[in-house]
Amino acid sequence: MAGLLGVVGIPLAISIIRFHKIAIATPKIPKMTDSIGLIRNKTVLMSALCFLSVAYGLGVLVAFAPLHAKFFFSFPDSFVTSLFLGYSSSALVSRIAFERFAQRANTQRWMTSALIVSIVFLNLLAISPVPELFIFAFVLLGTAQGLVFPVGAVMTYGATPAKDRVLGNAVYLMGFDLGSLIGPLISVPVVIFFGIPSALAVAALAPATALVILRMSAKKRA
């Protein structure tokens, strides 16, 4: 069903390409040598690291939390699906809040909030003895993803020259790819030997590490 709905995008994309001009200047395609300067750009790397840490937790959540919900709390499959609906809704609400109130705090504070949310709710998922607390933590964990993506994008944009923004965004977004890749891989042995709650608690170390580095970086600049 999802595949059939996706087919609608094909004629829509063809229509846009053939009959509409997108008013965006074609950016310069960067060379690999251009990446050297961005590797030294601490803000871009910090944004990528924060995105990676939250994506790490998301990867573990997607891979193992549904199994925990099903076998430990006896949730039916349909209810587990609705948990992800709540997670996505939480992410959407937090993203809208950032767009409306972005000027009320700097990006460092917004990013700090996103990382703290990730740390707190991953640990709550790990220690939840009752289903109500598990549901609460699962849904509100989406707030971290909802915040970290736009906040990191703003940080990357502000720290990257116009000619390097294509590559800067590529480096930043790579954080999500790496986080969602290594999260489940690293968690597999933890799950095998210690169980899923332990894997969720270990996943909280990723945003905790990013938070420490972020705060240390802020102190050095101050």
Side-chain angles (χ1 to χ4, degrees):
M1 184 78 98
L4 289 174
L5 290 173
V7 171
V8 176
I10 297 175
L12 180 62
I14 293 173
S15 170
I16 292 173
I17 292 169
R18 291 187 61 185
F19 304 113
H20 301 278
K21 291 184 178 180
I22 301 177
I24 300 176
T26 304
K28 173 189 171 184
I29 303 301
K31 300 177 182 178
M32 289 301 296
T33 52
D34 296 334
S35 63
I36 297 175
L38 284 174
I39 291 174
R40 296 174 182 171
N41 189 317
K42 294 181 180 179
T43 302
V44 174
L45 290 179
M46 191 70 248
S47 301
L49 176 63
C50 292
F51 206 6
L52 184 153
S53 71
V54 172
Y56 183 108
L58 174 60
V60 177
L61 181 83
V62 171
F64 298 112
L67 298 175
H68 187 62
K70 184 174 181 179
F71 296 114
F72 187 80
F73 294 113
S74 300
F75 290 163
D77 291 340
S78 57
F79 189 78
V80 174
T81 303
S82 69
L83 289 178
F84 282 100
L85 175 62
Y87 177 97
S88 300
S89 300
S90 178
L92 176 62
V93 169
S94 63
R95 197 162 297 177
I96 292 172
F98 171 72
E99 291 173 359
R100 291 195 61 185
F101 305 111
Q103 302 302 323
R104 296 194 179 183
N106 60 36
T107 51
Q108 291 272 351
R109 290 180 180 176
W110 281 105
M111 187 63 81
T112 298
S113 299
L115 294 173
I116 289 174
V117 166
S118 185
I119 295 165
V120 169
F121 289 115
L122 280 171
N123 277 302
L124 281 179
L125 282 172
I127 64 173
S128 296
V130 293
E132 292 80 9
L133 182 58
F134 183 88
I135 294 167
F136 175 77
F138 195 113
V139 170
L140 289 187
L141 183 59
T143 305
Q145 186 187 353
L147 286 176
V148 75
F149 178 73
V151 174
V154 170
M155 290 172 64
T156 301
Y157 180 89
T160 312
K163 65 182 181 64
D164 293 330
R165 281 191 185 133
V166 171
L167 191 57
N169 278 290
V171 172
Y172 164 62
L173 294 173
M174 199 181 298
F176 180 85
D177 299 329
L178 290 174
S180 16
L181 171 68
I182 66 176
L185 288 177
I186 294 177
S187 297
V188 166
V190 180
V191 170
I192 291 172
F193 292 105
F194 302 103
I196 293 176
S198 296
L200 291 167
V202 169
L205 293 175
T209 302
L211 179 60
V212 170
I213 296 173
L214 178 68
R215 300 313 302 166
M216 289 175 62
S217 162
K219 286 181 180 179
K220 285 181 180 179
R221 280 196 291 269

